Amino acid sequence: MGGVGLGGLRDVLEQAHLAVVGRWTRSLLTSIGVGLGVAATVATLQVTATASAAISDKFDAVRATSVTLRWKDGAPRPPASVLAAVTRLNGVIAAGLLCGASRDEHRATMLAPQHSTSLSRRVNLVAAQASALSAMGTRLLTGRMFDEGHGERADPVAVVDSVTARDLGIHHAGQLIYVDGVPVSVLGVYAAPAGEVRLTGAVVVPYQRCAEERGLGWAFGPPDAVVRTALGAADQVAAEGRLAVSPADPAAVVALVPPDLRTFRKGVEADTRALFLGLALVSLAISALGVSNTMMVAVLERRAEIGLRRAIGGSRRGVALQFLVESGFLGLAGGILGTVVAVDVTVAVALWREWLVVLEPQVLLAAPVLGLLIGTVAGVMPAWKASRVGPAEALRS
């Protein structure tokens, strides 16, 4: 079996080019098959990179920007002024005290107790400072918040969540509702932040109702101090906050900081990328089988041509190399096509989601090479089959 010199290599490349161009329909379909596999792989990597960059700001926005200072059971209820020292800490944006009701079942209605209570609604009863609602991210929709004066005078006032306002039929501030039969004047309606179950469907009264247990038949659990911090300041505020609110006995207060979501984010990104990359690799395997099948069919169709080439002095190595080059051409064309499609898909998804487009140059440069590699590997078996065709095949045909 002779070697392939420089002239022979030029002849191999020319013959491979003519074979690909001469059967352009089949070559195009095969390249498209490879292109789809490459496009799926590259698009998976690029869309994941774009999505990761887009959501990183959202993860950072919720990463450790809140601290909860919780008094242990049995500790005396702190006065409303206890957080004055906390608000002076570096990184603190807002802070306030909040108590949840000690029992779950509270009913509210706009009808006086002597009338039917069939229209009453179950509500969450909360006692809080207005600054606590601000720290938790509530948004006032109508009316006003109560102030410290309302609490000190024990005024029967409250603000209600938009869900409660809708259920009870509250349309404007100043309307009277009855909570467990106690008349309360609604000062305003707020929108609870997403995911905050304590404030959703709630009636919020001034914190002094919790601190001083002023009658009315309402009982509240231990208070929490809700602190909103600047990004990255939560851990420091948590460490200093316990001492600020209870300098004599810091152990009586527990500081709770939400877990850092960066590790969670990386885990989600890695799992998502692995899932879609696995599907993309399946597409690549199918593409390789398609190229291999196409080249096997080409070998069967061109047995006479191969035999004639062998009869006039062509070597087995030259025949095998020609088929390897043909399949490599198809793979390279598919890789280039797949790269273009992947970039278009990535840009389209980014524009649809209003994300910043992130393209990784090393991935885009490697994609055509990946297509070439797929085509070449897929052509190994057909090339070996072609090299086994003897000169006698030309005489049989």
Side-chain angles (χ1 to χ4, degrees):
M1 183 168 59
V4 179
L6 182 60
L9 181 60
R10 186 182 299 112
D11 180 62
V12 166
L13 294 175
E14 182 179 353
Q15 291 297 323
H17 174 263
L18 292 175
V20 170
V21 174
R23 298 170 178 83
W24 67 270
T25 303
R26 179 184 296 172
S27 300
L28 177 62
L29 294 176
T30 304
S31 296
I32 289 176
V34 176
L36 291 177
V38 172
T41 304
V42 176
T44 296
L45 297 174
Q46 299 308 283
V47 170
T48 303
T50 299
S52 298
I55 66 176
S56 62
D57 290 341
K58 295 183 179 180
F59 271 98
D60 287 341
V62 299
R63 176 176 60 88
T65 57
S66 65
V67 176
T68 300
L69 301 176
R70 178 164 298 168
W71 277 260
K72 295 182 177 180
D73 292 339
R77 296 178 186 271
S81 60
V82 73
L83 294 184
V86 174
T87 57
R88 292 193 294 268
L89 295 176
N90 288 332
V92 173
I93 297 174
L97 293 164
L98 175 144
C99 298
S102 57
R103 63 185 178 90
D104 294 333
E105 187 66 24
H106 290 277
R107 310 290 297 186
T109 180
M110 294 190 68
L111 297 178
Q114 62 268 29
H115 300 295
S116 172
T117 58
S118 60
L119 297 179
S120 66
R121 295 289 185 269
R122 183 183 179 279
V123 296
N124 295 327
L125 184 60
V126 178
Q129 293 179 307
S131 56
L133 300 182
S134 175
M136 298 174 76
T138 59
R139 181 168 52 91
L140 190 64
L141 300 178
T142 184
R144 55 164 294 189
M145 286 288 181
F146 44 70
D147 54 35
E148 292 300 315
H150 289 108
E152 293 171 357
R153 295 188 302 268
D155 292 340
V157 296
V159 292
V160 300
D161 170 49
S162 57
V163 175
T164 301
R166 181 196 63 204
D167 291 344
L168 296 179
I170 299 172
H171 304 294
H172 57 82
Q175 290 184 267
L176 194 67
I177 63 173
Y178 295 86
V179 181
D180 298 331
V182 178
V184 176
S185 179
V186 176
L187 294 181
V189 178
Y190 67 87
E196 182 49 71
V197 295
R198 291 178 294 182
L199 298 182
T200 301
V203 174
V204 184
V205 298
Y207 170 73
Q208 283 78 359
R209 294 289 186 184
C210 168
E212 302 174 14
E213 297 281 6
R214 296 193 180 184
L216 302 181
W218 297 332
F220 295 92
D224 288 343
V226 181
V227 184
R228 182 157 57 94
T229 72
L231 183 64
D235 291 332
Q236 184 66 26
V237 170
E240 298 175 355
R242 296 168 60 244
L243 185 61
V245 298
S246 182
D249 184 16
V253 181
V254 178
L256 306 175
V257 181
D260 193 336
L261 296 179
R262 286 176 294 181
T263 302
F264 173 74
R265 179 188 68 187
K266 292 177 181 178
V268 171
E269 291 172 358
D271 290 345
T272 303
R273 177 176 287 204
L275 172 62
F276 287 103
L277 192 57
L279 297 176
L281 291 177
V282 172
S283 299
L284 286 177
I286 295 175
S287 301
L289 291 176
V291 174
S292 181
N293 181 66
T294 298
M295 296 306 298
M296 288 295 289
V297 171
V299 170
L300 295 176
E301 291 179 346
R302 295 159 60 186
R303 291 180 69 86
E305 172 192 334
I306 298 169
L308 180 59
R309 185 170 180 179
R310 291 294 314 283
I312 60 176
S315 66
R316 288 183 174 181
R317 180 175 298 178
V319 171
L321 184 59
Q322 177 182 334
F323 277 85
L324 278 177
V325 171
E326 288 182 26
S327 60
F329 277 165
L330 297 177
L332 179 62
I336 295 173
L337 176 62
T339 303
V340 174
V341 172
V343 171
D344 291 341
V345 169
T346 303
V347 172
V349 170
L351 293 177
W352 173 52
R353 299 294 300 176
E354 297 183 351
W355 292 341
L356 177 67
V357 179
V358 176
L359 298 175
E360 299 171 321
Q362 64 273 22
V363 175
L364 301 182
L365 293 175
V369 178
L370 176 62
L372 176 62
L373 181 63
I374 291 173
T376 303
V377 172
V380 170
M381 180 58 69
W384 181 80
K385 287 283 188 181
S387 68
R388 310 310 296 174
V389 176
E393 294 291 336
L395 299 177
R396 293 195 186 101
S397 55

